[in-house]
Amino acid sequence: AAYEGEQTELASLEGRLIDGAEFTVKALEFVRIDFGHKATGTPQAVLKFNTSVQPIFHKNFDMVAGSLTDYSQRGYRLYICSDSMKQTDRLRDIFQERGDQISFEPVDRTLHEGFVDHTLKCCIFTDHQIFDRFHKYNLRSDKARSGKVALSLKELNMFEPGDYVVHIDHGIGKFAGLVRIPNGNTTQEVIKLIYQNDDVVFVSIHSLHKISKYKGKEGEQPRISKLGTGAWEKIKERTKTKIKDIARDLIKLYSQRKQEKGFKYSPDSFLQHELEASFLYEDTPDQLKATQDVKADMESDRPMDRLVCGDVGFGKTEVAVRAAFKAVADNKQVAVLVPTTVLAYQHYQTFSKRLEGMPCKVDYLSRARTAKDTSRILKELANGDINILIGTHKIIGKSVKFKDLGLLIIDEEQKFGVSVKEKLRQIKVNVDTLTMTATPIPRTLQFSLMGARDLSVIQTPPPNRYPIQTEVHTFNEEIITEAINFEMSRNGQVFFVNNRIQNLPELKAMIERNIPDCRVCIGHGQMQPEELEKIIFDFVNYDYDVLLATTIIESGIDIPNANTIIINQAQNFGLSDLHQMRGRVGRSNKKAFCYLLAPPLSSLTPEAKRRLQAIENFSDLGSGIHIAMQDLDIRGAGNMLGAEQSGFIADLGYETYQKILNEAVTELKNEEFADLYAEEIKAGEEKISGEEFVDECTVESDLELLFPNEYIPSSSERMLLYRELDKLELDKDVEDFKARLVDRFGKIPLEGEELIRIVPLRRLAKRLGVEKVILKAGKMILFFVSNLESPYYQSAAFGKIIDYMAKYPRDCNLREQNGKRSMVVKNITNVDEAVRILQEIVSLG
């Protein structure tokens, strides 16, 4: 019917649709105004504008000055258009330095090209033409440069036939594409996996979360699993036992920490509310949650040990400022430990600005302070006059005495050496500790994944942020020149990182040779601290276009106007270093670029190659934690899991290893250490949620749930969409997904709509503690938690199931077969009805 409707609509339009040639002829009957040199017909009148183009000066300021003086003497008004008032100020300074008496009016917005209007007697010139940046600006617009990012992430998810994949229940196999198989009266789309001896497993598109791409050690072919031998289960069990042994020690450590008494902070004061309300931006949901987690930790009487993992520029510092002020409000002192002098100064500025007008004194200590300042600070600190002290590892020196230290904030922990960490351990016996990092070191991350430290992840980017476009190139003067020129053409600044100090002057000469009007400054750690501080400060004030520096810029320098970074010899840096440096750009709403310069990939070691590929692929916002995961994958988690740990990753593939790790920790929490986690488990029972007890919920169905071939012809595209759908949880995400589908492929067919409803079905089932849902033969069967001793059967979630059963005894019945408990609900013919029933159960009571 819909098709026929469309045909009728087209037929009714037929008389009104015309082609281009007919339009041109018919338009000639009307009164027209043509712009340009060539008219379409014979003009009856020609309007001529007496204008000429802006002269080409090629940055020759003698010519610029001569021309502008000449125009103003002839009575012309001078306007200079620019996207940045800093450029017009700079022009004014140049004229002043040269001694030219030229006055012009700056205009805040620019044109594509300047011109002179001889009738109105005014010159409207553009700064980019005066500085000779016009054609480069035109050549590479932001749009032209933004096509690459989505593709690399897409490639990352793409499964190609022949790829190794891991199925959590069956082991490592080969991917053999999407196929359709008959299922009763309908067809279903499934994924075909091939195992040893050409055994085949078909995986439902509702269980895609059980499959992951095999990521093991580079260059090693994995062993394909054999079905039916139990070998895969044995490997998983062996790994789980080993992990449990290690996790057991960690949890004991954790329990000791839980029993220690720390300071219990009082609830938020009105000043705290005032400080949080004065934040210029709206908190992102993750930022809000991290703040609440930190405050809850501080208000409990056990010492806090929380890791806030948030991507570069995602607002970790604001979480720290709020925590610091909470400590100060209870008359405790705060130490903020940062890796570099520059960062100490920057944090000092940030904290001072945020805490302006609050009863709180902030100061900083680093090698850039004079001896006089240092002794004053130490004295005030011991008296308790300084509330927050920010500094490099100097602040844990013997001479530094706090009157009453209550909170230790560590920024970028991975930058500190072992000896510093040992000293910290002595300090923080019962001091609350907050560690902030963008890419945690593998060991730290592993600790947190295993529950030995509390972890808050800030993954939502602030609004108006774009991913940073990352490209790997070989060293090439042309690319460097073009990147700097493009950034200067939009009045931005550039970081150029080169880790050999002796090469910096020759790189400076190269840039100045290729771009004569580029202002370059050099910064590195061997300079006098005051000198380095001044250079950074001048760069922030836009006195320079390019900062040529060593990795001193890596930690937290915040310069929103710098949106291009070039990293030379990128293969020599670690993954988190590269990610940190890349995070120095893209901190405003402009698109940012990162160029990694390295020798040809073929000449690099496998590890270096993987690092560069990982950083290029993960250019999405918030990917710091993924990069840390990749790093954990490439380097292994260090001595924490002993030498065998990398062997586990090779046997199981990385994602399966993570899943088993989580299972092991959950089992330990629920079984051996149930008394230690009793509060958490009790809270879980009081919540209606059965999610505490269910890791994943699978769905089986004989209904036709798929995207038809006619709707989405490409099988790899369908696969990608199935995977995306499988990962969705929230209704809002589902709505966005549907909107994108309609936008790309048109109206969603019925079987596609039904498939999409599986998402809320699975979410509601998990909340009720259901491990598996079967929709077949007009019935819905819900299988509950398989461990019959589980506290789930005393929880509120299971209580709701019983209530529903009592309410509708004729439509459903509970049963127990082969040690599995389930409930059968009759008369269910589609997913919609199933979702409605689960919603009713959830809302009971």
Side-chain angles (χ1 to χ4, degrees):
Y3 178 72
E4 280 170 20
E6 276 176 38
Q7 292 305 308
T8 331
E9 199 178 326
L10 279 172
S12 67
L13 282 173
E14 205 138 71
R16 290 184 279 148
L17 294 172
I18 58 172
D19 63 11
E22 195 180 340
F23 173 79
T24 313
V25 174
K26 291 231 170 126
L28 294 174
E29 297 165 17
F30 294 90
V31 175
R32 300 180 323 285
I33 296 175
D34 288 354
F35 285 98
H37 303 301
K38 294 187 182 119
T40 41
T42 315
Q44 292 163 331
V46 176
L47 295 175
K48 278 210 159 78
F49 292 95
N50 190 6
T51 60
S52 56
V53 296
Q54 174 173 344
I56 295 170
F57 299 119
H58 285 310
K59 286 187 289 204
N60 180 335
F61 279 97
D62 293 338
M63 276 171 69
V64 176
S67 180
L68 294 186
T69 310
D70 182 43
Y71 276 122
S72 57
Q73 282 169 355
R74 282 161 46 197
Y76 282 71
R77 288 198 310 285
L78 302 176
Y79 296 94
I80 293 184
C81 307
S82 171
D83 267 336
S84 156
M85 289 291 95
K86 285 189 170 160
Q87 285 294 78
T88 43
D89 293 347
R90 191 173 158 193
L91 206 55
R92 203 168 258 142
D93 294 345
I94 291 173
F95 290 147
Q96 237 167 3
E97 278 169 31
R98 292 170 45 88
D100 298 321
Q101 299 301 309
I102 297 171
S103 63
F104 62 85
E105 281 186 51
V107 179
D108 184 13
R109 275 295 166 269
T110 193
L111 303 166
H112 198 56
E113 280 183 57
F115 62 94
V116 182
D117 188 321
H118 300 290
T119 317
L120 295 173
K121 285 205 143 188
C122 62
C123 301
I124 297 170
F125 288 171
T126 69
D127 71 318
H128 55 248
Q129 279 170 288
I130 292 175
F131 287 116
D132 202 16
R133 299 217 181 98
F134 167 67
H135 65 284
K136 286 147 193 150
Y137 180 85
N138 184 27
L139 191 116
R140 280 243 174 134
S141 73
D142 271 8
K143 278 196 182 64
R145 296 162 69 108
S146 63
K148 186 171 176 232
V149 175
L151 192 76
S152 58
L153 280 155
K154 213 169 174 181
E155 287 164 355
L156 211 73
N157 283 327
M158 280 281 196
F159 283 104
E160 292 292 331
D163 282 356
Y164 290 106
V165 292
V166 186
H167 189 293
I168 189 93
D169 302 331
H170 306 298
I172 301 170
K174 275 190 174 177
F175 176 67
L178 270 180
V179 292
R180 298 199 162 203
I181 54 171
N183 182 2
N185 307 327
T186 60
T187 32
Q188 274 205 324
E189 196 151 27
V190 292
I191 280 158
K192 184 177 177 184
L193 301 182
I194 298 172
Y195 285 87
Q196 250 191 50
N197 307 332
D198 289 336
D199 288 344
V200 171
V201 171
F202 292 115
V203 183
S204 154
I205 52 176
H206 314 306
S207 305
L208 284 184
H209 52 280
K210 290 193 165 194
I211 302 180
S212 51
K213 213 165 185 172
Y214 174 82
K215 289 209 289 269
K217 292 182 90 171
E218 188 72 13
E220 282 182 25
Q221 294 289 336
R223 281 203 306 273
I224 291 185
S225 308
K226 195 170 178 180
L227 297 179
T229 58
W232 176 250
E233 287 304 319
K234 282 189 195 112
I235 292 179
K236 288 203 308 187
E237 276 311 310
R238 202 172 65 234
T239 307
K240 195 182 271 187
T241 315
K242 278 273 195 294
I243 291 175
K244 274 187 176 176
D245 293 344
I246 302 147
R248 208 171 272 118
D249 298 339
L250 284 177
I251 289 178
K252 280 179 188 156
L253 255 172
Y254 182 69
S255 67
Q256 283 165 8
R257 216 186 75 224
K258 270 192 141 173
Q259 282 151 19
E260 276 175 14
K261 285 276 175 273
F263 183 75
K264 188 174 178 177
Y265 288 87
S266 43
D268 287 357
S269 60
F270 75 95
L271 280 172
Q272 185 81 25
H273 293 307
E274 205 172 296
L275 170 76
E276 291 179 17
S278 69
F279 188 45
L280 286 175
Y281 312 96
E282 196 177 331
D283 286 7
T284 63
D286 290 355
Q287 206 177 6
L288 200 61
K289 189 175 183 316
T291 308
Q292 286 162 351
D293 290 347
V294 169
K295 290 201 287 200
D297 284 354
M298 291 173 77
E299 287 170 22
S300 88
D301 58 5
R302 63 183 182 85
M304 163 167 82
D305 185 8
R306 180 170 290 280
L307 172 69
V308 175
C309 176
D311 220 333
V312 224
F314 277 30
K316 298 186 296 288
T317 313
E318 176 62 19
V319 175
V321 168
R322 293 173 187 185
F325 189 69
K326 189 175 179 66
V328 171
D330 270 357
N331 298 318
K332 288 279 185 185
Q333 287 174 306
V334 181
V336 183
L337 181 64
V338 296
T340 63
T341 332
V342 173
L343 192 56
Y345 181 63
Q346 249 198 325
H347 267 353
Y348 166 66
Q349 286 186 307
T350 310
F351 273 73
S352 307
K353 199 179 286 173
R354 283 292 288 122
L355 297 167
E356 217 171 357
M358 294 286 176
C360 171
K361 182 166 184 187
V362 184
D363 217 320
Y364 77 106
L365 194 58
S366 72
R367 64 192 186 99
R369 304 301 316 246
T370 60
K372 187 179 166 192
D373 278 343
T374 306
S375 61
R376 171 186 62 77
I377 288 166
L378 294 178
K379 193 174 163 197
E380 288 180 1
L381 194 67
N383 296 339
D385 297 336
I386 290 178
N387 305 100
I388 299 175
L389 181 66
I390 298 161
T392 53
H393 57 264
K394 247 185 121 162
I395 67 169
I396 50 174
K398 286 195 180 105
S399 56
V400 182
K401 299 273 186 291
F402 287 87
K403 186 180 180 191
D404 186 4
L405 181 65
L407 174 65
L408 173 65
I409 298 172
I410 306 168
D411 199 8
E412 297 305 345
E413 177 193 40
Q414 72 274 21
K415 294 280 171 288
F416 296 107
V418 178
S419 57
V420 173
K421 286 185 183 162
E422 279 308 314
K423 279 186 189 161
L424 286 177
R425 219 160 268 137
Q426 291 154 18
I427 292 179
K428 66 181 199 186
V429 177
N430 52 7
V431 168
D432 283 6
T433 310
L434 175 64
T435 308
M436 301 187 300
T437 176
T439 45
I441 44 178
R443 191 185 159 96
T444 310
L445 182 66
Q446 196 82 5
F447 260 54
S448 302
L449 290 172
M450 294 179 89
R453 301 174 73 158
D454 303 308
L455 174 71
S456 296
V457 180
I458 303 184
Q459 261 185 318
T460 31
N464 302 331
R465 281 282 171 86
Y466 298 108
I468 298 164
Q469 184 158 328
T470 308
E471 298 171 16
V472 178
H473 293 282
T474 48
F475 188 91
N476 176 332
E477 288 195 17
E478 212 170 289
I479 284 172
I480 295 170
T481 307
E482 199 173 303
I484 294 174
N485 259 322
F486 175 77
E487 194 52 63
M488 285 170 70
S489 74
R490 53 180 192 167
N491 303 310
Q493 291 165 283
V494 181
F495 288 122
F496 195 131
V497 179
N498 182 72
N499 232 8
R500 294 189 55 184
I501 293 176
Q502 55 271 46
N503 292 13
L504 294 174
E506 56 189 84
L507 284 169
K508 180 179 179 182
M510 179 205 79
I511 295 170
E512 286 172 344
R513 184 174 70 244
N514 288 320
I515 313 166
D517 68 317
C518 179
R519 302 162 301 165
V520 187
C521 59
I522 290 181
H524 55 77
Q526 288 179 13
M527 289 177 150
Q528 285 303 314
E530 306 78 45
E531 194 187 344
L532 180 61
E533 214 165 82
K534 184 180 182 312
I535 281 177
I536 302 277
F537 200 68
D538 291 346
F539 186 65
V540 173
N541 286 342
Y542 197 34
D543 291 346
Y544 296 105
D545 298 303
V546 176
L547 170 61
L548 245 177
T550 53
T551 43
I552 52 152
I553 65 131
E554 173 182 347
S555 308
I557 296 183
D558 189 9
I559 301 173
N561 195 37
N563 282 306
T564 293
I565 184 165
I566 301 168
I567 302 171
N568 195 17
Q569 298 293 330
Q571 77 283 2
N572 296 336
F573 295 102
L575 202 61
S576 65
D577 294 339
L578 288 172
H579 184 64
Q580 279 290 347
M581 288 190 282
R582 177 171 66 182
R584 299 302 111 226
V585 296
R587 300 172 83 96
S588 66
N589 55 4
K590 274 186 180 172
K591 184 153 182 53
F593 301 94
C594 167
Y595 297 90
L596 305 171
L597 306 180
L601 287 182
S602 53
S603 63
L604 297 178
T605 64
E607 274 84 10
K609 195 156 134 191
R610 277 184 78 184
R611 280 202 299 271
L612 293 181
Q613 284 166 341
I615 199 98
E616 192 174 19
N617 284 338
F618 287 115
S619 54
D620 237 26
L621 294 166
S623 53
I625 187 125
H626 300 298
I627 282 182
M629 296 279 196
Q630 279 276 331
D631 207 9
L632 181 60
D633 187 8
I634 293 169
R635 301 195 313 195
N639 59 4
M640 194 198 100
L641 287 180
E644 296 129 354
Q645 174 254 333
S646 56
F648 292 152
I649 291 185
D651 287 344
L652 296 163
Y654 177 63
E655 290 180 31
T656 316
Y657 168 69
Q658 271 328 114
K659 280 180 185 164
I660 289 177
L661 183 98
N662 292 336
E663 277 173 29
V665 174
T666 312
E667 282 172 25
L668 281 176
K669 280 183 178 181
N670 286 338
E671 292 157 21
E672 287 179 44
F673 293 98
D675 50 339
L676 181 62
Y677 289 92
E679 290 168 34
E680 275 180 40
I681 292 170
K682 196 164 185 304
E685 287 165 23
E686 283 163 12
K687 282 191 266 178
I688 93 110
S689 181
E691 283 172 77
E692 314 288 320
F693 311 99
V694 179
D695 277 334
E696 56 188 359
C697 169
T698 52
V699 178
E700 277 180 29
S701 168
D702 61 359
L703 300 166
E704 193 157 1
L705 308 171
L706 46 82
F707 294 130
N709 270 351
E710 309 77 67
Y711 184 56
I712 303 171
S714 152
S715 64
S716 59
E717 192 65 59
R718 285 203 307 280
M719 168 87 183
L720 207 63
L721 290 166
Y722 290 146
R723 268 182 81 75
E724 190 181 338
L725 187 62
D726 201 50
K727 288 191 176 122
L728 297 182
E729 288 195 356
L730 304 175
D731 288 348
K732 181 183 162 296
D733 297 339
V734 175
E735 287 310 312
D736 292 349
F737 178 80
K738 283 166 78 170
R740 285 201 304 277
L741 270 191
V742 172
D743 186 41
R744 287 175 63 191
F745 304 105
K747 189 170 180 292
I748 304 172
L750 207 59
E751 51 271 59
E753 286 278 8
E754 282 280 84
L755 169 67
I756 292 170
R757 287 197 190 100
I758 290 285
V759 176
L761 177 81
R762 207 168 47 212
R763 187 185 67 230
L764 291 162
K766 262 181 91 169
R767 284 185 69 180
L768 292 166
V770 174
E771 287 183 344
K772 187 177 190 178
V773 180
I774 293 183
L775 290 172
K776 281 185 181 170
K779 289 182 193 156
M780 170 167 70
I781 308 170
L782 305 175
F783 287 91
F784 305 115
V785 175
S786 39
N787 174 5
L788 301 184
E789 303 301 312
S790 167
Y792 162 73
Y793 290 103
Q794 275 76 52
S795 74
F798 189 65
K800 286 174 185 281
I801 301 276
I802 302 293
D803 293 347
Y804 184 81
M805 162 85 200
K807 196 172 173 185
Y808 302 105
R810 294 174 69 174
D811 290 338
C812 42
N813 62 319
L814 279 172
R815 64 185 190 188
E816 189 170 327
Q817 284 176 334
N818 307 331
K820 280 198 173 293
R821 290 176 182 168
S822 60
M823 177 166 84
V824 181
V825 186
K826 297 172 201 153
N827 305 325
I828 306 285
T829 54
N830 60 35
V831 185
D832 217 17
E833 286 171 3
V835 170
R836 199 175 40 73
I837 285 169
L838 293 185
Q839 274 169 335
E840 190 178 337
I841 301 176
V842 166
S843 58
L844 283 173

